[in-house]
Amino acid sequence: ADVNAVMEDGRTPLDLAIELKKNKTADLLRKRGGKTKKELEAAMQDLQDVFKRYIHTDTILAHLGFLQAANQIYRCFMLKTLVLIFHFS
């Protein structure tokens, strides 16, 4: 499962673990590359800034559309990730 799969509101498994005060789970997610919603948004903004510098705007929008579609696919794996969170807690 993707440790950074996002729910509809954009929260990640790490956000949920922190919110529920599941420190061991949060630590495990961090070790596996887990990020919070804010960290993912910052990384996406950095990526968008790079694209803006080197690629035509229309191409950027096409890539972002693909990323949004891919994000929808990752959401399907969210349930599996949530099961893992509570299994290791």
Side-chain angles (χ1 to χ4, degrees), residues 47-57 59-60:
L47 182 60
Q48 289 173 359
D49 291 344
V50 169
F51 274 131
K52 285 178 186 176
R53 275 187 247 145
Y54 298 107
I55 300 176
H56 191 271
T57 305
T59 306
I60 294 169

Side-chain angles (χ1 to χ4, degrees), residues 55-70:
I55 300 176
H56 191 271
T57 305
D58 293 338
T59 306
I60 294 169
L61 294 175
H63 285 291
L64 291 177
F66 172 77
L67 290 174
Q68 289 172 348

Side-chain angles (χ1 to χ4, degrees), residues 3 6-7 19 59 66 68 81:
V3 295
V6 295
M7 294 182 276
E19 183 180 313
T59 306
F66 172 77
Q68 289 172 348
T81 304

Side-chain angles (χ1 to χ4, degrees), residues 8-86:
E8 288 186 23
D9 63 0
R11 289 182 303 157
T12 66
L14 181 57
D15 288 314
L16 186 58
I18 292 169
E19 183 180 313
L20 297 173
K21 298 181 173 80
K22 301 288 187 176
N23 297 331
K24 289 181 183 179
T25 302
D27 291 342
L28 176 65
L29 288 167
R30 282 269 186 214
K31 287 178 187 175
R32 301 285 185 200
K35 307 239 182 288
T36 63
K37 175 183 177 180
K38 286 184 180 183
E39 291 169 337
L40 290 177
E41 287 173 347
M44 181 60 82
Q45 185 60 50
D46 290 344
L47 182 60
Q48 289 173 359
D49 291 344
V50 169
F51 274 131
K52 285 178 186 176
R53 275 187 247 145
Y54 298 107
I55 300 176
H56 191 271
T57 305
D58 293 338
T59 306
I60 294 169
L61 294 175
H63 285 291
L64 291 177
F66 172 77
L67 290 174
Q68 289 172 348
N71 187 27
Q72 292 293 329
I73 294 168
Y74 286 131
R75 288 181 183 176
C76 294
F77 295 105
M78 189 62 197
L79 180 58
K80 291 180 183 178
T81 304
L82 290 175
V83 169
L84 287 175
I85 287 174
F86 291 104

